Amino acid sequence: TSRPTARSRSSLLLTRETPLIIAGPSGQLEALWLDTPDARGVALICHPNPVQGGTMLNKVVSTLQRTARDSGLATLRFNYRGVGASAGSHDMASGEVDDAEAVALWLRQQYPDLPLTLLGFSFGGFVAAALGARLEAQGLTTVNKLFMVAPAVHRLTAEHPPASNCPLILIQPEDDEVIDPQVVYAWSAALGRAHELLKVAECGHFFHGKLTDLKDLLLPRL
């Protein structure tokens, strides 16, 4: 076997995420950070339901991270409270949004002038949307785009509204066995603002065999 060249080692370092601990409202939050040189923006990625085993290493989350990386964005994914090495216990509501807000504030300190793109899968779609609304209300961070993939839209309520000012892209598998597609379609129809709804045919919740399709939908929109 051949040894990696200096150039290939350098390329690997540019695509390898750095483990990170960020201070959160319930203690430390475990994260993976990719500080892309000359990044044109930064992506924050929110993972699925921790009660059902969701973590930042979920394969859909990993696809979101790699696609954001390939589009020239610095990326950060993290574990909510009670997941992996993150302190605290599951809240399944405000707590995870609080965690995401702490991570977004950390990112703003690192990249004060770069636009922030939010991506969330399943429960993470709720977290990303609710976080976007908080950031818009604060007026401190420009949310460039919001991507909600097979999102838990039923969790978005008057207490946790979705972001309303940034461009929104919904990506929904048509054969989703976890999130009822019809609920997502109805939520989309009632949203009352311009957005894009992309339906993925013959695809289940976890995009088995369809991760390349997901990347192809994301890349030109990122």
Side-chain angles (χ1 to χ4, degrees), residues 71-93:
S71 72
L73 302 180
T75 68
L76 195 142
R77 49 178 157 165
F78 70 102
N79 280 331
Y80 309 130
R81 57 187 62 196
V83 179
S86 293
S89 57
H90 305 324
D91 179 271
M92 297 305 297

Side-chain angles (χ1 to χ4, degrees), residues 61 70 85 87 103 153 167 173 179 181 214:
V61 171
D70 292 348
V103 173
V153 294
I179 301 291
L214 175 60

Side-chain angles (χ1 to χ4, degrees), residues 174-192:
E174 291 188 342
D175 297 334
D176 197 323
E177 71 283 11
V178 176
I179 301 291
D180 184 348
Q182 297 305 320
V183 172
V184 176
Y185 301 158
W187 184 84
S188 170
L191 193 54

Side-chain angles (χ1 to χ4, degrees), residues 4 22 39 44 55 95 98 111 116 156 160 211:
I22 296 172
L44 173 57
T55 78
D98 293 344
Y111 308 97
L116 175 66
L156 291 164
H160 298 293
L211 291 172

Side-chain angles (χ1 to χ4, degrees), residues 110-126:
Q110 312 307 311
Y111 308 97
D113 301 320
L114 292 183
L116 175 66
T117 294
L118 302 176
L119 304 98
F121 168 52
S122 195
F123 175 76
F126 151 72

Side-chain angles (χ1 to χ4, degrees), residues 13 20 54 76 82 95 146 150 155 164 172-173 185 191 198:
L13 288 173
L20 198 66
L76 195 142
L146 168 63
R155 295 183 179 274
S164 59
Q172 179 57 46
Y185 301 158
L191 193 54
L198 305 169

